[in-house]
Amino acid sequence: MATIIDGKAIAQTIRNEIADEVRSLSQTYNKVPGLAVVIVGTRKDSQSYVSMKRKACAEVGIRSIDLDLPEQSSEAEVIAKVHELNENPDVHGILVQLPLPKHINEEKILSEINIEKDVDGFHPLNIGKLAMKGREPLFQPCTPKGCLELLTRSGIRIKGKRAVVVGRSNIVGLPVSLLLLKADATVTIVHSHTHDSESIIREADIVIAAAGQAKMIKGDWIKPGAAVIDVGTNAVDDPTRKSGYRLVGDVDYEEASKVAGWLTPVPGGVGPMTVAMLLRNTLDGAKRKIAQ
Amino acid sequence: MATIIDGKAIAQTIRNEIADEVRSLSQTYNKVPGLAVVIVGTRKDSQSYVSMKRKACAEVGIRSIDLDLPEQSSEAEVIAKVHELNENPDVHGILVQLPLPKHINEEKILSEINIEKDVDGFHPLNIGKLAMKGREPLFQPCTPKGCLELLTRSGIRIKGKRAVVVGRSNIVGLPVSLLLLKADATVTIVHSHTHDSESIIREADIVIAAAGQAKMIKGDWIKPGAAVIDVGTNAVDDPTRKSGYRLVGDVDYEEASKVAGWLTPVPGGVGPMTVAMLLRNTLDGAKRKIAQ
């Protein structure tokens, strides 16, 4: 049976580490890291993510600067707010919760964020430096960074291992591939045009599942003993629940737990790590400014 | 027997296409593209590359702006020259021949080149955009772009194919992997920490060999019918030659030609394409400025 990687517990350890560092930063410089969390509109899921992030900030002593803009805000108004936050010395990270209302161009808003405060790490300059040997980005994207942390903190060696990443999105698949390559894994990226993904995944010592397809990866697709990190969070109908649905990953958990060496659950695996890495990036951004 | 991909002939076709476009640009706007080719010092190999590039410019009607700086030029002097070229409206591309003398920081010099004139395409912002879905760099790096051109102009389908890139340098292996991924191949990157490269390469429909190791890839490492693009140019001793050496690729050509479906020779494969793509990038940069 697979060792279940407890993302919630690892994330809590990291949050404690962050809280310690924030405390010591505050004692030495009398300043705390600040994260601006911007939400436009009233989407329920976005509101719940945002309140989770704000709560997480509070818990580790990071000041969260909350901007709740109305649904009908214009693109120019949102950009003006981003510019204000760029200028604000108490803000070390800026997070704009996606998706934005349809009349606002997301790429345009994101590209207005000062690269030194781009704690999501999605700026193309950051991605380029992430990709290149001998270069380092200011911030690594949170979910990919969280995947690597789960591996290393579980004692799983990456160097020289076969890693297969399923999915190639800009926010997970692509950057996690680049991080694994930098960590000296032999990386293959599998996607919607790949023939026979199954047999490719079966060769992997490390699988990162980020395809967004519920239970796509079956138990017999997994090499016995492999480490499987499941980034998927797919809502499937579940009439036995009050909500009418439950969340499942891209991996068939029941089957995979009998084959894999390590496996992350959904929820409770990668999800808590994303928030922890956001806090970590904010702290790192603040340290660069405060503790020069 | 493999179909030999004649890089010299394909490059010549591309140069003719470029010459036509330069002519029509010049007729319509009375302006020609300009490429600044900067060399510092007197390294023989660099001088021969530079004179090849300048000659290639002349052949297609691109004006080459030649800067030959003395070996003892300071970093500040070279940067000042780059800034002049950035400002010069007749210059659409800037190429600084590497390596630079040891007292000059190459990364620093390259980062001074205006991104709109970075015809080498090595700026991290360009690499980031190359990597990201839905984004396009201003310029694709020349050798990787040349590899893709050789495939597509030889009628080799990339989408859905297994591609293995051997080597992960910033100038070839990494960007060619990203280009193949964007073209919907299933890409694996093999490098010095990879175990059993041989069996991974043997699964590839497309092999890009960019490891810089003479004849590393043997005939029986190649899947019958695969397309093999050999980026290596390694000098090996050859007492039968006047020069005392000859150039060989990363692939054992004799052996591979009996197994592969397509194969590029060394020299005469990728090499001429790199220069052709440099001209293409310069023309594209000029079109963006002249034919707005």
Side-chain angles (χ1 to χ4, degrees), chain A:
Chain A
M1 290 292 289
T3 300
I4 304 307
I5 299 178
D6 186 345
K8 222 170 146 183
I10 296 176
Q12 189 56 55
T13 304
I14 293 171
R15 286 179 186 204
N16 295 344
E17 293 166 6
I18 293 169
D20 286 346
E21 282 191 54
V22 169
R23 203 173 303 120
S24 109
L25 195 71
S26 152
Q27 281 164 359
T28 313
Y29 299 96
N30 199 27
K31 280 182 184 169
V32 296
L35 174 66
V37 181
V38 181
I39 182 170
V40 185
T42 55
R43 275 181 69 118
K44 270 210 171 147
D45 54 347
S46 292
Q47 284 188 321
S48 100
Y49 288 134
V50 158
S51 75
M52 191 171 59
K53 288 167 187 174
R54 289 170 178 168
K55 215 180 116 211
C57 282
E59 196 194 295
V60 298
I62 289 177
R63 179 191 300 148
S64 89
I65 295 93
D66 303 343
L67 261 84
D68 294 76
L69 304 177
E71 177 82 26
Q72 64 274 18
S73 305
S74 72
E75 200 172 271
E77 283 166 340
V78 180
I79 290 176
K81 288 294 177 189
V82 168
H83 287 178
E84 271 177 39
L85 297 170
N86 283 344
E87 296 305 316
N88 186 340
D90 294 332
V91 171
H92 305 101
I94 300 171
L95 178 112
V96 177
Q97 183 65 41
L98 302 182
L100 291 169
K102 282 203 180 103
H103 63 280
I104 297 177
N105 182 336
E106 286 185 357
E107 200 174 290
K108 201 166 167 189
I109 300 294
L110 295 181
S111 68
E112 293 295 329
I113 297 173
N114 182 334
I115 192 165
E116 293 183 358
K117 302 188 179 186
D118 173 36
V119 280
D120 262 335
F122 293 151
H123 193 290
L125 187 58
N126 263 331
I127 298 293
K129 288 182 173 175
L130 186 73
M132 292 169 85
K133 212 188 290 190
R135 300 286 188 109
E136 286 304 330
L138 285 169
F139 301 103
Q140 292 180 355
C142 301
T143 303
K145 185 176 181 175
C147 293
L148 276 271
E149 282 280 337
L150 286 176
L151 292 170
T152 50
R153 290 192 184 236
S154 303
I156 297 160
R157 198 179 151 84
I158 300 173
K159 190 171 185 163
K161 299 292 179 189
R162 291 286 306 262
V164 172
V165 176
V166 187
R168 53 171 168 170
S169 69
N170 285 341
I171 54 174
V172 186
L174 174 77
V176 85
S177 305
L178 298 171
L179 283 176
L180 288 165
L181 181 65
K182 249 189 183 164
D184 293 330
T186 300
V187 181
T188 303
I189 305 161
V190 154
H191 49 76
S192 55
H193 294 288
T194 298
H195 299 300
D196 198 10
S197 311
E198 199 179 318
S199 71
I200 297 172
I201 293 167
R202 204 175 283 124
E203 289 174 10
D205 304 305
I206 296 167
V207 178
I208 312 283
Q213 302 241 1
K215 295 188 174 191
M216 168 193 155
I217 297 171
K218 307 296 173 195
D220 63 359
W221 294 26
I222 293 166
K223 179 173 163 177
V228 179
I229 306 292
D230 191 350
V231 186
T233 3
N234 311 287
V236 294
D237 290 340
D238 185 346
T240 72
R241 303 242 176 153
K242 211 171 128 190
S243 62
Y245 73 92
R246 66 196 160 92
L247 295 178
V248 300
D250 289 353
V251 177
D252 188 314
Y253 184 83
E254 294 304 317
E255 291 183 18
S257 63
K258 293 171 196 153
V259 189
W262 294 266
L263 178 61
T264 62
V266 174
V270 175
M273 292 299 287
T274 299
V275 180
M277 293 301 111
L278 175 66
L279 303 174
R280 166 50 67 193
N281 279 352
T282 304
L283 171 59
D284 289 348
K287 280 162 75 178
R288 273 196 290 266
K289 286 292 168 190
I290 297 172
Q292 279 163 347

